[in-house]
Amino acid sequence: MPTSKTSRKAGVVRKNGSAKKTTTAATKRTVTKKPSAAADALRGGTSLAKAKPEALIQALLQLGNAVLDDRDAFNGVMRILGDTAADHDLRNKVLSSVQGLTFDPVRFAPHRPAYMKTLRALRTDANSELRQRAFGLLARENDPDTQAMLISGLEDAGKAMLPPEKALQLLSYDPHAGAYAVAHKIEQAPPNPLARREALRVLAADAGSVKLFEQVLGDKSESTEVRQLAASALNHLAPKRMQDTARGMAMDPTESDEIKTLCLTALANFGDPEVLAQDTELQAQVERYQGDADDASSLKLAAANLKQRYT
Amino acid sequence: MRIDFTLNNSAERAARYLTWMPSPLRMRLLDTLPAPSGVTVTLSESRQANGGSIRYSLTENGRFASTLKVVLPTNGTSVTVYVRGNYGKPSQTDGDVSIVVKEGNKVLGTLPVMVRIRKNANVLTAGERDRFVAAMAQLNNRGTGRFADFRLMHVAGRADDQAHGGPGFLPWHRAYLLDLERELQAIDPSVALPYWRFDRPSPNVFTPEFMGLADALGTVAFGPSNPLQFWATDGVQGVARRLIGPNPATTASSFVSKEAATLALGSVYRNFRVMQGDPHGNAHVQYFGGSISSIPTAAKDPLFFLLHCNVDRLWAKWQAKNNRFDGAVAAAYDSGPTPTSLLAGHNLGDSLWPWNGIVTSPRPSTAPGGPMALSPCVAAPGVSPLVMHMLDYKGLVSSGAKLGFDYDDI
């Protein structure tokens, strides 16, 4: 069994990628320190179930990245993560701490297979927060199996491990996840407004959805949030059309100040300064907004920013 | 009679930016009558309300003061003095402080400048905040702009090893931020990267007008005047960031080490660099899930750059506290047993990927972004920086090594 001599090591990467063990002042302090019961429990010396959650977290914090050099302690951490009987808050905090360790990738590399295996198991965990986070972490790795599970859950609610809006959000990390068809379906017949919003976000990368976004952006019955998303998508998919649309909406007196502000912001940041400099009609409208709007209003600010773009 | 100014060895407007470190200011008299003893002039400053403040000295390492008397020859010969920002009084807007040259009460010339300093994001003025987010949005340009290169530099695999796989973690990210900041300054020269003090509540950072507000699902909402509402990376719209820990607007995470604890890690770089785990790694994961919590996607979130600016600031503070700017001092860096024993990219004399353009193993197979952006204000670090070039960022060991940035509290 490992002893308390496990040290805090600043891994130095050699050419072959292995970590060189270096003893530091902090190490010396650790070596002489008696291990806590929780740290011992992490390493398998005593039952994890007997350790208090707060003490386990403290032990993990004290170990810091040194846990990466202590395979038994790391395995103990994985056991907590996978233990469905353990305190959920503890497991979530442990997950955050382990994810933090991934930011030291060379030292984390030997543990990565075990971590990925644990994350995959967590996708079916009874705790929804852990489930959601595991799906998220794997989706950000563009994990094909995870993407397939998410799509499968959207196509058949009986197989869904996450709410549709969350599944769609996670699928939007990868435009190549093959989620456009199901996103179109959900956009047409959404189970709730959030799911529709997230379906639109997935489709924001779909070149075939330009007309859809023009329609949504122009529909004054849509919420500002959804129109904002449509503007962003259109700006990405068809920038010239967005500029034309933004100009028209910025001049439309029946539009809300929020939408006019959004349009002026699009023109100010992505418009062609030469085109804007010749657009006297738009400039006159900008002057009116600067003169009429409340001093603290976003519309006035957006108008001032646009003016800077062409002057 | 008038004055011809050259600041930072350039007559260009783009070079009129100062830090806390001395910049050469060359002056010569034009349209003047001959006078054997020259013309005695006084340099002073003219500040706008809340504007920056500057100081002068005859020599680079001399005593800096608010005014300086200089004799300028009438034959057109230049005289060089030094000017720097007055520590604690950075600018808020471009040209909010001017170099003023007078003969008696007569103004011979003025030169508007900016004391351009990296500041705490939580205390930026609305103008500073808006200029920064606009420059970021324009650099990204709907996911099609130069920002895409920065995304591609910070990914998994061998690129990850370059950025995070050894003692080069801090120098690599300093170069990365510097390159990004210079690109932002090419769009708006008044912009400096702000930093997120992740060990303190930052109510003004997590607002719709700045870094956005994450909803319960983890989708970040931006206000209609914030151009980050058009943010897209890799074809993917928006920013995914979900609160999973304390709200950093109101509460600092107990899992993220305080600045004092980080600076107390020891005076040797080998000990200090464990901060790669905490606070760095913990700041990535203890507040938010979403893009910022995974290496391959972290740079998709603009907040990432504020986080890393603070990581760099912590290193800079540690350097200042322990005088660790000189690569020749063993404790200033974690060198291997020989000058080449570490993974390429982590030895002190190694060039940094991707700016070196090397695409053969063990470097990654692509080098996105090309050479390091040049600065109109300083010559360093050149187009292909070395690890060692990142240490002496203030030019304290060699004045020519200045990288052209400073922090508001260092």
Side-chain angles (χ1 to χ4, degrees), chain A residues 101 271 305:
Chain A
L101 299 174
N305 287 340

Side-chain angles (χ1 to χ4, degrees), chain A residues 11-13 15 24 96 99 103 105 129 132 140 166 169 172 175 197-198 201 205 228 232 235-236 265 269, chain B residues 138 142 160 165 215 217-219 222 224 229 234-237 242 244 271 273 276 285 290 293-294 297 340 342:
Chain A
V12 176
V13 184
K15 276 181 170 173
T24 66
S96 294
Q99 186 57 21
F103 281 80
E129 176 68 10
Q132 184 179 149
R140 285 191 284 283
K166 191 68 200 177
Q169 186 196 53
S172 77
R197 185 190 77 182
E198 293 308 315
R201 196 178 304 283
Q228 198 177 13
S232 181
N235 198 37
H236 174 64
T265 303
N269 286 276
Chain B
Q138 289 170 35
R142 315 178 307 270
D160 195 1
D215 67 11
L217 191 65
T219 295
F222 295 101
Q229 69 191 295
D234 312 326
V236 179
Q237 207 64 40
R242 186 172 70 92
I244 58 168
N271 295 344
R273 78 178 183 86
Q276 181 174 352
V285 302
S293 65
S294 296
T297 54
T340 58
L342 304 179

Side-chain angles (χ1 to χ4, degrees), chain A residues 108-249:
Chain A
F108 191 79
H111 305 288
R112 191 174 159 81
Y115 181 49
M116 297 303 275
K117 188 178 169 189
T118 304
L119 285 179
R120 290 202 168 90
L122 287 177
R123 292 179 301 188
T124 53
D125 198 275
N127 181 257
S128 60
E129 176 68 10
L130 276 166
R131 213 163 56 229
Q132 184 179 149
R133 292 183 64 190
F135 267 106
L137 290 164
L138 289 163
R140 285 191 284 283
E141 304 271 345
N142 291 348
D143 182 58
D145 183 51
T146 297
Q147 290 171 342
M149 280 178 78
L150 291 169
I151 291 173
S152 169
L154 288 170
E155 289 170 341
D156 178 355
K159 293 179 182 170
M161 302 306 298
L162 296 178
E165 57 272 21
K166 191 68 200 177
L168 285 161
Q169 186 196 53
L170 298 183
L171 283 166
S172 77
Y173 277 116
D174 182 7
H176 308 296
Y180 294 154
V182 71
H184 271 298
K185 240 187 252 179
I186 288 172
E187 195 280 319
Q188 291 294 311
N192 63 60
L194 264 187
R196 177 166 179 262
R197 185 190 77 182
E198 293 308 315
L200 285 169
R201 196 178 304 283
V202 169
L203 294 171
D206 173 24
S209 295
V210 170
K211 277 191 179 166
L212 169 66
F213 287 115
E214 277 183 322
Q215 191 185 333
V216 172
L217 177 58
D219 185 348
K220 290 175 185 164
S221 69
E222 294 276 9
S223 70
T224 299
E225 183 189 29
V226 166
R227 295 180 79 192
Q228 198 177 13
L229 170 57
S232 181
L234 196 59
N235 198 37
H236 174 64
L237 294 171
K240 175 72 173 63
R241 277 155 89 167
M242 176 57 197
Q243 289 298 307
D244 295 343
T245 306
R247 184 193 180 281
M249 291 169 68

Side-chain angles (χ1 to χ4, degrees), chain B residues 39-51:
Chain B
V39 174
T40 300
V41 299
T42 304
L43 281 80
S44 61
E45 65 178 8
S46 170
R47 299 175 66 196
Q48 293 176 12
N50 299 315

Side-chain angles (χ1 to χ4, degrees), chain B residues 7 25 72 139 154 164 223 227-228 251 306 315 365:
Chain B
L7 182 59
L25 171 67
L72 298 180
L139 187 68
H154 199 277
H164 306 97
L228 292 180
T251 312
L306 278 62
W315 180 30
S365 56

Side-chain angles (χ1 to χ4, degrees), chain B residues 20-341:
Chain B
W20 305 136
M21 303 310 292
S23 287
L25 171 67
R26 207 163 66 228
M27 297 170 295
R28 62 182 178 127
L29 281 175
L30 298 177
D31 307 330
T32 183
L33 297 171
S37 56
V39 174
T40 300
V41 299
T42 304
L43 281 80
S44 61
E45 65 178 8
S46 170
R47 299 175 66 196
Q48 293 176 12
N50 299 315
S53 175
I54 52 180
R55 292 292 180 261
Y56 303 97
S57 172
L58 282 173
T59 61
E60 193 168 10
N61 299 313
R63 184 178 160 273
F64 281 77
S66 56
T67 60
L68 180 70
K69 279 195 190 311
V70 185
V71 177
L72 298 180
T74 53
N75 62 2
T77 303
S78 298
V79 169
T80 298
V81 299
Y82 291 85
V83 57
R84 63 164 172 77
N86 181 15
Y87 181 76
K89 292 180 179 170
S91 291
Q92 293 184 347
T93 58
D94 211 341
D96 67 7
V97 57
S98 293
I99 293 167
V100 179
V101 181
K102 289 181 184 172
E103 183 197 17
N105 287 326
K106 186 182 171 194
V107 175
L108 300 183
T110 61
L111 186 73
V113 298
M114 180 180 196
V115 184
R116 188 175 59 191
I117 300 293
R118 294 180 180 177
K119 297 178 182 176
N120 184 341
N122 197 50
V123 300
L124 294 185
T125 64
E128 289 171 320
R129 175 199 68 200
D130 293 345
R131 293 196 303 272
F132 171 70
V133 296
M136 280 294 281
Q138 289 170 35
L139 187 68
N140 190 30
N141 194 20
R142 315 178 307 270
T144 62
R146 170 82 169 87
F147 181 80
D149 293 326
F150 290 92
R151 261 288 297 131
L152 295 171
M153 290 181 206
H154 199 277
V155 291
R158 283 186 188 160
D160 195 1
D161 294 344
Q162 293 293 301
H164 306 97
F169 163 71
L170 287 166
W172 188 91
H173 282 84
R174 179 166 285 174
Y176 183 59
L177 294 181
L178 184 67
D179 197 14
L180 179 88
E181 184 175 61
R182 288 179 174 185
E183 293 289 356
L184 294 174
Q185 287 166 353
I187 293 167
D188 182 343
S190 73
V191 167
L193 272 179
Y195 59 86
W196 168 33
R197 275 293 301 259
F198 40 64
D199 63 336
R200 283 184 183 173
S202 300
N204 301 324
V205 174
F206 301 97
T207 66
E209 291 75 30
F210 200 175
M211 286 294 108
L213 280 179
D215 67 11
L217 191 65
T219 295
V220 176
F222 295 101
S225 63
N226 187 339
L228 292 180
Q229 69 191 295
F230 299 102
W231 192 256
T233 48
D234 312 326
V236 179
Q237 207 64 40
V239 176
R241 187 196 306 150
R242 186 172 70 92
L243 201 61
I244 58 168
N247 183 347
T250 56
T251 312
S253 170
S254 58
F255 288 83
V256 177
S257 277
K258 299 285 184 199
E259 180 175 304
T262 306
L263 297 177
L265 283 170
S267 59
V268 177
Y269 184 83
R270 182 173 296 170
N271 295 344
F272 175 71
R273 78 178 183 86
V274 300
M275 63 93 82
Q276 181 174 352
D278 177 36
H280 160 252
N282 282 349
H284 269 282
V285 302
Q286 295 292 349
Y287 293 105
F288 298 110
S291 295
I292 200 162
S293 65
S294 296
I295 284 181
T297 54
K300 289 161 86 76
D301 187 339
L303 179 63
F304 167 90
F305 296 93
L306 278 62
L307 184 160
H308 262 281
C309 194
N310 195 43
V311 170
D312 186 71
R313 171 181 156 276
L314 287 169
W315 180 30
K317 275 207 141 182
W318 176 85
Q319 288 184 288
K321 179 184 174 190
N322 300 293
N323 190 21
R324 295 287 184 258
F325 297 99
D326 188 351
V329 173
Y333 191 68
D334 188 3
S335 299
T338 73
T340 58
S341 56

